[in-house]
Each structure stands twice: as C-alpha cells, then as structure tokens.
Amino acid sequence: MRLFLTLLSDSKHHLRPRFFGAKGNECYSIAVPPAIQQVVVFSNGRWGKQTSVKVALTDTDKGAITLGNLSPDSRCITWECWETDIGSSGLTLTASMEEDCLIRGEPASVREPQGKRKRKREEDHEMGSRGQENVCPNSSPSQKSTPRRKSKGDVRSSHMQLFTHSLEQADLCMPHNQKAKGKQARASAQPASLVNPSGRWGHTLCPIDPQTAILIGGQGSRMQFCKDPMWKLCTEDMSWVPAETMAEGPTPEARIGHTATFDPESKRIFIFGGSKNKKWFNDVHILDTQTWRWTMVEAQGKVPPLAYHSCSLFRGELFVLGGVFPRPHPEPDGCSDSLYIFNPEMAIWYQPIVNGDLPAPRSGHSACVIQGQIYMFGGWDTPVCFNDMHVLDLGLMEFSPVKTIGSAPSPRSWHGCVVLSDTKFLVHGGYNGNNALTDAFIFDTASSSWTTLINPHLSAVPRAGHSIITMDSTHTEDSMKSGEQAIGLKACPQTLLIFGGGDNEGSFFSDLTTLLIDELLS
C-alpha cells in the first residue's frame, strides 16, 4: 500500500500526485504551502495487514485536527480550507500508520521491511572507540582530519581542517528552518517539509526522472555517518521524503566517497565503492526504481576497493576511473590510474586496453560524458593537487591531454561537476589542500576554453564534497528566480541543483540551492 498526495492552489492549479508514504513506515508528515486550498490524500496497492491510516492536519497556532481514516474500504480523504477555521499559519499534513505515531511534524521511528538487512546500532559508536573516518582518502590512520598524507620533507602540519566538526555544531542535524515560526518562517523559506537531510559531504544525489532525485550516504556532524542515509527529493515542490525504508532488500552499508549512477533505460541506480572507517568497498548494489528493491550483484571479474573515484555511464556500461584504494605498505593508501568497466547485463568487471597519454593517478576528480568522450578534470594524489584536463575517446579507447585556453580553475579535488549542454560542463568549488573554494567555471568542449562564472549564489560559501545535478521538469508555471533557496519552490526546465558539502571550517551543509541553467549559460 502506498499513499499519494495532490494539492489545489488558490490559482486553481493542480500539482501532480506525489508519493507521500508507504507500507512499513509508521508516520509521514509534510508541510502544506499557504496558497493551497484543497488537499487530497489517496492510496493504491494492496493494504496487507495495514487496517487503518489516520490522516491529520496540524496548524502551527491552533493545534491538530483529524481529517479521517484511510482503510481498504475508504481509500481517499479530501480537505478544503473553508471547511475549518485553521489555515492562518503553517499547516502540516501527517499520515499515521500506527496509533502511537507522532502527529506534530516530527519523523517517527520506522520499521525495517521484511528481508532488509538491518544496520548495526553499534556503528554510530565505533567512531569514538576506533577513531574517525578517514575524512579524505589520502590521510593516514593517525591523522584525524587531513585531506592528504604527509609527504617527505613536509615540515608544515599535515592536520588540515577538511570538514572537521566541532561539538558545538550539533544543531546542523536539525531539520532546515525548524526553528523558524509563523509568518517570518513562511516569508523567508516557505518550507515544503518539516524534515530535511542532515548536513553532509561525500554523498551522492542522483536524478531518476524529471521530478525526482535520490540522496544516498554521506558523513557530517561530529564526523559520523549520517543516520538518515537515504532521501527522496521531489522537485515539484522541492520537498524531501525519508526513503531508507521505501525499498526492500539488502541496503548498502553506510559509506562515503561512493558513486551512484542512474541508467535511464533500465531505471536502476548503481552504487559502487566508497569507504567507511578503515573499510573499503568494491561491491555493486542496484536499486530498481520501478519495484523499489535493492539487490547486491555477485559480479565476476576483479576490481579493487575504491573510493572518491568517478563513474560514468556509456551505452549501458559503467566506466570507473581513478580513485583511492587501500595500500598498507609503504603508504596508508594510494591512487589509481586504471579504468574498469562494469557490464550490468553480464554482471562482469573487465579492464579494456587503453592507449594514449594516460593521466596521472588521482582521486577526488570529476568526469563527465559529452559526445562519446569522458572529460576528466582535477583530483588529488599526495602531494599534488591537479587542474589538468584529459579526455578519453570511448570509440578509440584512447586518452589524450586537452590543451585549454582561458583562465583555468586552480588545482582542486572534491569539486562539483555537471554537464550543462551538449558541449559545456560546470566545475564548482572543491578543495585545494588548504581551503574549500567558492569559484565556478564553465568549460566549452567545442572551443576547449574555460570561462570564469560570476554568480553570487555559487560563491556564497566555500563548498567541497557537495553534489551538483541538473533536472528537467515538465512543470513551467511559477518559475523561480535564479539562486533562490529551493524550499517551497517549483523547479523549472533545465534547473541546476546544489546540495550539501562542507566548508573545511567545521560546517556541513544541508541547504539546497537552485539556479536556472539558461541564466548561467547566458
């Protein structure tokens, strides 16, 4: 059984039905924008053992009222604003699968579905007993928060502040704008949901259709892995829905530095690699977004455990470049210069013969596919941070360096990168070995030229280890202004979204910023 929600605004504009909750979740809540005049909650699918779902509407000032109960015999509830005297302030709609579920807009505990591997609660306490996560792939076990290994002859302290987090920053895990109340909160943010992902870096944000993206993994407050590792972003109203219990099957273990790649043909997300504490992964997990089920691949062939690599989809295969891997002797870790290809149909890893001028080993770089070529930029391998560009011709399987013109980005790793058009991609932020960066650049593959991009919303805060994606939406009404925070707003066609990251000063971000691609390119 699944719940869906549709809204009618005061302008008589219907929002498309959106997923709201599912069997296996005790409680779901979502904020209702002030302009909404009508709310319809309905269900479909088999109810199974669920016999009743209580639907309530909570007013910030006047409390909660129960709209009714959904059941196998009554599967739809409608509320109209003129039926009650509530609605003068923020409204929260809550669907409760259990009678003891919270109804005040706070996420209730959720039950693991049958067949899903449960996470060990002790994992959250391992940090204090065994040490922190190797917050960047190039740090030694003795370094608590460093973006690189200490090289010979380096007399400068190697304890960089990459995403170290002081105990005073605990409130970063609080849902965005939860402290704001009344008209001030609506004017500043118009929150579409009272729950949002906690601040993090090293995560992935993967678009799966024009209205949906999936957030997986990451690490944030107090250097611990996020206790809310999976979210669904609905771009029609830019709201977040906890998604860890939506899918059945064995979920991937908590990690950072992994990749999530969506195949639009099979509608599946491929999760590969990453690291957790002193553990490194080379497993492949698949999330089928049509059946919402996880499977773990028993692949043939060999691929080393990798983190902070790049993964690109081309003709149904995954192209994994670079990354950092465990190498106990003589250094704590090392970077790869190899290319590995995963064929999902055959469930096999193989290494192709690659010719040309191969790039140096690196991790934390970016890679994007444009017109049958993979453009690889930046990255890190102690003690060098790169800003060179290499291109891999996927027809010839040949690497070659790219001679660029214009002012190139400074050396960096863990930056954001996304394709903007048939010939252009964006590079934003990153880490240069000392500081998180704020600048942005556009590279034109047709002219091999760099252009510095000046945008106050991109340069607002230093940011590294964040995610940048583009979304295409069929909904074009009520277009937002460039750079506005995306809470409570609607996505437009060709919209750029930036989520999360850290500033190397102890802060991890949970904000979601949107920009119109047409304005960036102009």
Side-chain angles (χ1 to χ4, degrees), residues 182-210:
K183 296 181 179 180
Q184 182 179 359
R186 293 199 303 274
S188 61
Q190 291 188 350
S193 175
L194 294 185
V195 288
N196 290 281
S198 59
R200 67 191 68 197
W201 85 290
H203 55 277
T204 55
L205 185 61
C206 184
I208 62 173
D209 62 44

Side-chain angles (χ1 to χ4, degrees), residues 60-95:
T60 303
D61 298 328
K62 300 180 181 179
I65 62 169
T66 299
L67 300 184
N69 291 321
L70 293 174
S71 68
D73 299 323
S74 179
R75 303 192 178 190
C76 181
I77 291 177
T78 302
W79 170 82
E80 295 178 340
C81 67
W82 46 82
E83 293 180 353
T84 63
D85 61 350
I86 67 174
S88 59
S89 57
L91 299 180
T92 301
L93 184 72
T94 303

Side-chain angles (χ1 to χ4, degrees), residues 278 308 423:
K278 298 179 181 179
Y308 310 97
T423 62

Side-chain angles (χ1 to χ4, degrees), residues 339-402:
L339 169 65
Y340 297 88
I341 298 179
F342 178 70
N343 184 299
E345 184 177 354
M346 304 296 294
I348 188 172
W349 285 98
Y350 67 94
Q351 276 191 276
I353 298 175
V354 181
N355 300 311
D357 189 356
L358 273 65
R362 66 191 65 200
S363 64
H365 56 283
S366 61
C368 57
V369 179
I370 292 182
Q371 297 180 351
Q373 296 180 313
I374 296 180
Y375 286 83
M376 183 178 181
F377 170 76
W380 179 284
D381 188 21
T382 299
V384 179
C385 197
F386 301 99
N387 69 338
D388 55 348
M389 177 95 68
H390 285 75
V391 62
L392 173 62
D393 189 309
L394 297 175
L396 303 175
M397 293 307 295
E398 183 177 15
F399 262 113
S400 60
V402 179

Side-chain angles (χ1 to χ4, degrees), residues 398-412:
E398 183 177 15
F399 262 113
S400 60
V402 179
K403 295 181 179 179
T404 67
I405 60 176
S407 179
S410 60
R412 66 193 63 207

Side-chain angles (χ1 to χ4, degrees), residues 154-317:
D154 189 357
V155 298
R156 188 165 55 102
S157 171
S158 60
H159 288 263
M160 298 301 171
Q161 298 299 315
L162 177 62
F163 311 141
T164 55
H165 199 78
S166 62
L167 297 180
E168 297 82 39
Q169 297 290 333
D171 60 342
L172 284 178
C173 286
M174 184 177 294
H176 189 68
N177 291 320
Q178 185 174 347
K179 294 183 179 180
K181 294 182 179 179
K183 296 181 179 180
Q184 182 179 359
R186 293 199 303 274
S188 61
Q190 291 188 350
S193 175
L194 294 185
V195 288
N196 290 281
S198 59
R200 67 191 68 197
W201 85 290
H203 55 277
T204 55
L205 185 61
C206 184
I208 62 173
D209 62 44
Q211 288 83 34
T212 312
I214 303 297
L215 172 67
I216 297 176
Q219 184 190 57
S221 177
R222 300 175 184 174
M223 305 309 298
Q224 293 188 9
F225 289 91
C226 298
K227 297 179 181 180
D228 52 339
M230 187 173 174
W231 291 77
K232 184 172 107 171
L233 172 64
C234 303
T235 59
E236 279 194 325
D237 57 0
M238 290 300 171
S239 62
W240 292 98
V241 177
E244 187 178 12
T245 57
M246 284 185 185
E248 297 181 349
T251 60
E253 191 172 348
R255 63 192 66 194
I256 60 174
H258 56 286
T259 51
T261 310
F262 179 67
D263 180 8
E265 295 295 328
S266 64
K267 307 296 182 183
R268 297 184 296 175
I269 299 176
F270 294 86
I271 308 295
F272 171 70
S275 68
K276 177 189 177 186
N277 298 323
K278 298 179 181 179
K279 191 172 184 179
W280 301 76
F281 300 100
N282 64 347
D283 50 357
V284 177
H285 293 261
I286 298 177
L287 175 60
D288 190 318
T289 61
Q290 293 181 305
T291 63
W292 285 104
R293 183 171 184 83
W294 284 104
T295 56
M296 183 174 176
V297 179
E298 296 182 1
Q300 299 179 352
K302 292 184 178 180
V303 63
L306 290 171
Y308 310 97
H309 51 280
S310 63
C311 184
S312 304
L313 180 71
F314 182 71
R315 293 181 179 174
E317 294 186 313

